[in-house]
């Protein structure tokens, strides 16, 4: 808690500590106390209205906005306070600033090599930071586009595992709407679905949302065309065949035709009437995904094509709906949560089979980025990436400072002459700072161009999943403000020390020096180079660790066949097939495929290992209590065809696999994994029974373990049921054969379409593409860190080249004396390179120490490699030392060929 100045009894929540610490140093001293108190009060107000995370994001944005505004106000006040107008005109008038700017341009033009290298260094560092910040800003700092988000909350329920942030059933949602008067003014729901849509002769798979009619109006989402859903679109299941199109769907499929309102649009074998087109910025309820169409919630069963199954509108155990509500006036999220304790108790009493021990949680919408569980993983990753690009920028700025210090020493005599003639020191400092700020501005401009290219490159590398992802990372006002801030900060903070050092009023000694000493400013530059090397080692070792992790992940054995194969996911329900027709299709498809030349194995499953999604069953094991009293164990499972284990080359280590004797209505059986047996039946699982709901299947076999959810997981218990006993219309097909995976995929798709020409596939891919889904995160991490490490290596090489080149220029006279006294070129090269490599060696040692600490922090992100991997910790320093050696040798070799006579005549 923090106390307000002048109000010793008033207390408010403490803002983010690091942000407040920086603000206290950025705000002018005379304004600091009042300004911080004002910001603290605003933070407390926003925290009370919208929650602490949202208030924290607002407070951190003030790092860019608030100090700049105060400094601008202070400059204006200072200008008005100057009594003599000539003083103002001579120091800060537009004429003087313009004069300094012209002078800075002339100075930079006279040293094009220095200017180009400095600007490129800064552009690389600023560009990397801008690109990463644009992504982080869009995901983390961007405010939701909805109206009055301070009163919007996401409402979650718990699942069978006790996880708090799960989805609702529609009957529970209806109960919430009915009973929450006085707590919520409005409650909306949305449920995603996969369907076929468009031209009946050429349907395509679409991701859509079934939403409550009040969703668009509750969120303040306008229609680009037509109307939103309304009361007339409510009613019994299946009574509102109307659809609203996503704006991009309207543009892509209808060419932005304004006359489509009232037209017919086919969704899963049913004609819907188009009543509206959503606003261009609205992509759906879920910020990470793009929904192509929106239908009323009472059409969910028809949209999903599950007309033969239970209706999600009435099934209290069918939980897949997201719920959002608007708080009533004067009600906070904490009060809503307290009310929902009684609400949960009431539902438990009425519906004990589905609502026992269920918990309901309301979270302010401003506190949620994508989903509370996903957010916990995203925030550390975002901080880690911003830290990495921050290091790149720091290295670039250190390069700039090192170059400026070298130039300052070269100009010391010129500056001393001007000071001795009466120029003011602050005028000289201002002039030098204008030059460095100009470099920063040019670097920022180049950084924006690099960032635009980098963001486009990152967006083009889309995750290999069949769901459309919303990847829109604009370089908007906040991003450009961030770029401007770091560009000017780079110019000011890293240009101030050289400016002050070069204008130090030691005129007599400076004017007596012939060419400047050998050591002036050298210690500071050496410290900068050591820091550069250290930070470069940290980045390079990090990239090395992630590259090693990727290498191990790619070579890991997932426990199943990874050779040439094709995976297809036809959606029978989306083509109008019922259960009997679907069974006939699967039988016919398997027979036709096995008769196709080049196909050797065919299998079916509803979830392939390392597939997209998680599927569990609650299992009661006799004698072993579940993790939650009164409940069983949640175990990963999938339904497979009898040929699955042979096709996937998963060894049966005990018992026998499924065969054609398992039929619907027969004795339920299942196969379990080795990890399941070791966890529940270490003495042997074959012949044992477990309870799964109303069934007690018998274990007939034990299969070898496979990777189930992630490539780096430990063996996970898993069970398999037979597709002969458990019909599914959305099975995934695994096809093996001769030739490439692409050729096998073409054969399998052609056979399917020959059986049913209008068959819709949710996904079609090769086995390599399937495995790439789980290799995507380590590949992206390795790619990004390799890019950052490469930038660090390049900048470090520029830095060491610059310091050795400067040393050569300063020691030309000394080199001439040594050569005239008999020193060989090798001696000169060894002397100059040795001096540079000594600094590099110190930086590498310091960097390895820092890398050891950083390795511990990133260890949980690595697969199959330790935090102190010897390849990374030995190989990377050798690479860096080799690059530094070349960067030192090039200018040193040039110095070795100096003419002694010309060197001795030089000043």
């Amino acid at each position: 808690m923090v106390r307000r100045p002048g109000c010793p009894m008033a207390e408010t929540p403490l803002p983010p500590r690091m942000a407040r610490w920086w603000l206290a140093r950025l705000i002018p001293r005379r304004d600091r106390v009042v300004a911080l108190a004002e910001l603290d009060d605003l933070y407390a107000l926003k925290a009370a209205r919208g929650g602490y995370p949202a208030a924290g994001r607002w407070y951190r944005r003030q790092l860019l906005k608030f100090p700049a505004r105060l400094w601008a106000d202070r400059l204006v006040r200072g200008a008005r306070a100057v009594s003599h107008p000539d003083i103002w005109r001579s120091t800060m008038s537009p004429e003087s600033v313009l004069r300094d700017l012209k002078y800075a341009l002339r100075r930079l033009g006279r040293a094009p090599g220095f200017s180009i290298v400095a600007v490129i260094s800064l552009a690389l560092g600023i560009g990397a930071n801008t690109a990463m910040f644009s992504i982080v800003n869009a995901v983390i700092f961007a405010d939701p586009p909805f109206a009055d988000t301070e009163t919007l909350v996401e409402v979650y329920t718990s699942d069978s595992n006790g996880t708090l942030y799960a989805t609702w059933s529609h009957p529970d949602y209806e109960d919430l709407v009915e009973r929450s008067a006085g707590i919520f003014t409005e409650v909306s729901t949305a449920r995603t679905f996969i369907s076929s849509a468009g031209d009946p002769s050429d349907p395509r798979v679409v991701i859509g949302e079934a939403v409550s009619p009040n969703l668009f109006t509750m969120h303040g989402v306008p229609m680009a065309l037509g109307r939103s859903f309304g009361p007339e679109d409510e009613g019994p299941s299946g009574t509102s065949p109307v659809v609203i199109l996503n704006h991009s769907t309207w543009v892509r499929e209808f060419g932005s035709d304004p006359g489509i309102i009232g037209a017919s649009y086919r969704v899963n074998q049913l004609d819907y009437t188009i009543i509206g087109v959503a606003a261009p910025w609205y992509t759906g309820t879920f910020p990470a995904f793009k929904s192509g169409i929106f239908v009323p919630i009472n059409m969910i069963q028809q949209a999903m094509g599950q007309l033969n199954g239970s209706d999600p509108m009435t099934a209290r155990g069918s939980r897949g709906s997201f719920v959002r509500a608007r708080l009533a006036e004067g009600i906070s999220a904490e009060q809503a949560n307290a009310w929902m304790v009684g609400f949960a108790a009431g539902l438990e009493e009425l519906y004990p089979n589905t609502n026992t021990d269920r918990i309901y949680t309301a979270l302010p919408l401003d506190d949620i980025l994508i989903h509370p569980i996903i957010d916990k993983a995203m925030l550390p990753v975002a901080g880690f990436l911003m830290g990495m690009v921050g290091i790149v920028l720091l290295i670039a700025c250190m390069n700039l400072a090192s170059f400026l210090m070298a130039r300052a020493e070269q100009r010391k005599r010129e500056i001393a002459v001007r000071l001795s003639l009466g120029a003011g020191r602050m005028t000289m400092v201002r002039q030098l700072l204008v030059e460095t700020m100009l470099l920063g501005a040019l670097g920022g401009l180049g950084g924006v161009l690099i960032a635009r290219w980098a963001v486009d490159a990152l967006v083009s590398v889309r995750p290999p999943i069949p769901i459309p992802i919303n990847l829109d990372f604009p370089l908007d006002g906040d991003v450009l403000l961030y770029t401007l801030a770091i560009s000017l900060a780079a110019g000011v903070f890293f240009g101030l020390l050289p400016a002050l050092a070069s204008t130090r009023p030691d005129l007599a000694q400076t004017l007596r020096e012939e060419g400047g000493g050998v050591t002036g400013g050298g210690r500071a530059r050496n410290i900068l180079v050591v820091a550069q090397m250290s930070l470069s080692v940290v980045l390079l070792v990090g990239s090395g660790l992630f590259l090693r992790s990727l290498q191990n992940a790619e070579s890991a054995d997932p426990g199943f066949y990874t050779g040439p194969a094709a995976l297809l996911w036809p959606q029978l329900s989306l083509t109008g097939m019922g259960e009997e027709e679907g069974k006939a299709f699967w039988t016919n498809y398997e027979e036709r495929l096995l008769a196709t030349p080049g196909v050797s194995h065919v299998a079916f499953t509803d979830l392939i290992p390392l597939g997209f999604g998680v599927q569990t069953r609650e299992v009661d094991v006799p004698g072993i209590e579940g993790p939650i009293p009164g409940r069983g164990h949640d175990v990963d499972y999938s339904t497979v065809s009898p040929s699955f284990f042979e096709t996937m080359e998963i060894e049966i280590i005990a018992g026998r696999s499924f065969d054609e004797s398992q039929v619907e209505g027969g004795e339920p059986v299942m196969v379990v994994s080795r990890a399941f047996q070791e966890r529940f039946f270490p003495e042997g699982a074959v012949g044992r029974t477990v309870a799964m709901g109303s069934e007690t299947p018998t274990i007939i076999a034990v299969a070898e373990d496979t990777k189930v959810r992630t490539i780096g997981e430990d063996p996970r218990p898993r069970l398999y049921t037979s597709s002969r006993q458990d019909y599914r219309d959305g099975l995934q097909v695994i096809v093996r054969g001769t030739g490439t995976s692409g050729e096998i995929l073409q054969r399998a798709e052609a056979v399917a379409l020959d059986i049913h020409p209008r068959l819709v596939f949710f996904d079609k891919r090769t086995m390599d593409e399937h495995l790439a889904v789980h290799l995507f995160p380590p590949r992206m991490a390795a790619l990004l860190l390799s890019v950052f490490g490469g930038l660090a290596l390049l900048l470090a090489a520029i830095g060491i080249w610059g310091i050795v080149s400067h040393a050569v220029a300063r020691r030309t006279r000394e080199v001439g004396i040594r050569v005239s006294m008999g020193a060989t070129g090798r001696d000169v090269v060894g002397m100059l390179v040795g001096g540079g490599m000594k600094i590099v060696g110190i930086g590498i040692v310091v960097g390895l120490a820092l890398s050891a600490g950083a390795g511990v922090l990133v260890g949980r992100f690595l697969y199959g490699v330790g935090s102190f991997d010897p390849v990374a910790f030995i190989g990377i320093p050798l690479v860096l030392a080799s690059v530094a050696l070349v960067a030192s040798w090039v200018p040193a070799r040039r110095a070795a060929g100096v003419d002694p006579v010309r060197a001795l005549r030089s000043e």
Side-chain angles (χ1 to χ4, degrees), residues 830-849:
M831 174 188 68
L832 295 173
V833 171
M837 292 305 294
K838 186 183 298 184
I839 302 171
V840 171
I842 297 172
I844 288 176
V845 171
V846 174
L848 287 175

Side-chain angles (χ1 to χ4, degrees), residues 44-55:
L45 180 62
K46 290 184 177 293
R49 290 180 175 176
Y52 294 114

Side-chain angles (χ1 to χ4, degrees), residues 428-483:
M428 296 299 301
V429 169
R430 186 198 67 215
Q431 195 173 82
L432 294 173
L433 282 180
V434 168
E435 184 176 331
T436 60
M437 291 175 68
L438 179 60
L439 285 173
L442 292 173
L445 182 61
V448 169
L449 299 177
I450 292 175
R452 180 69 275 167
W453 172 84
V455 169
D456 290 342
L458 286 173
V459 168
S460 67
V461 187
R462 292 178 175 268
I465 58 177
I467 295 179
I469 304 294
N470 184 20
L471 296 176
D472 185 18
F473 308 123
L475 298 183
D476 56 16
D478 285 344
V479 175
L480 295 178
L481 179 62
Y482 172 83
T483 304

